[in-house]
Amino acid sequence: MNNRYLIPANTKRGQLILSIFRPVDLGIFITGMVVTFILLIALGGLVSSNIFIAVLALLPALICTGLVIPLANYHNFLVAIQELIHFYSSNRNYKWRGWCAVYESKRDE
């Protein structure tokens, strides 16, 4: 009898923190929030009087949140960017093996 096991579609989500974050994603998100909080406290008087300074102070939180927002077919924008960098920086020279149905390594078995 074939022992086949069905794996639920959400098994990877059980390994994530809060079913959303990888540890590196959570680190990026928390770092962005802390930096923004420190900037808002340090620039408290300037933030209330100048909208440009307020936007600059909120920029780290906006960028970090944008990186960890979920994206369809990828985990999040950070993973999508990493996949693009890996695709364009890796060796893409594929060797033509001809029109064979079975490769040599599979024929020996």
Side-chain angles (χ1 to χ4, degrees):
M1 177 181 233
N2 291 338
N3 290 331
R4 296 183 187 193
Y5 298 100
L6 294 176
I7 299 173
N10 60 356
T11 56
K12 289 290 183 183
R13 292 193 81 184
Q15 298 173 353
L16 301 175
I17 300 169
L18 300 175
S19 296
I20 300 172
F21 298 110
R22 297 178 302 164
V24 69
D25 297 336
L26 192 60
I28 289 171
F29 183 69
I30 290 173
T31 302
M33 294 301 150
V34 167
V35 168
T36 297
F37 185 71
I38 291 170
L39 284 174
L40 287 174
I41 289 175
L43 303 173
L46 295 173
V47 168
S48 61
S49 63
N50 192 348
I51 192 73
F52 182 70
I53 300 292
V55 170
L56 284 178
L58 292 174
L59 204 56
L62 295 174
I63 290 172
C64 292
T65 302
L67 286 175
V68 298
I69 285 178
L71 181 65
N73 299 327
Y74 294 97
H75 178 68
N76 55 24
F77 279 97
L78 180 63
V79 173
I81 292 169
Q82 288 172 344
E83 291 291 327
L84 282 171
I85 290 171
H86 176 69
F87 177 77
Y88 286 114
S89 64
S90 64
N91 185 7
R92 291 188 312 255
N93 292 328
Y94 302 111
K95 295 182 180 177
W96 174 253
R97 294 189 181 206
W99 293 103
C100 50
V102 178
Y103 296 126
E104 293 296 323
S105 62
K106 302 257 182 183
R107 288 185 187 168
D108 295 336
E109 294 175 359

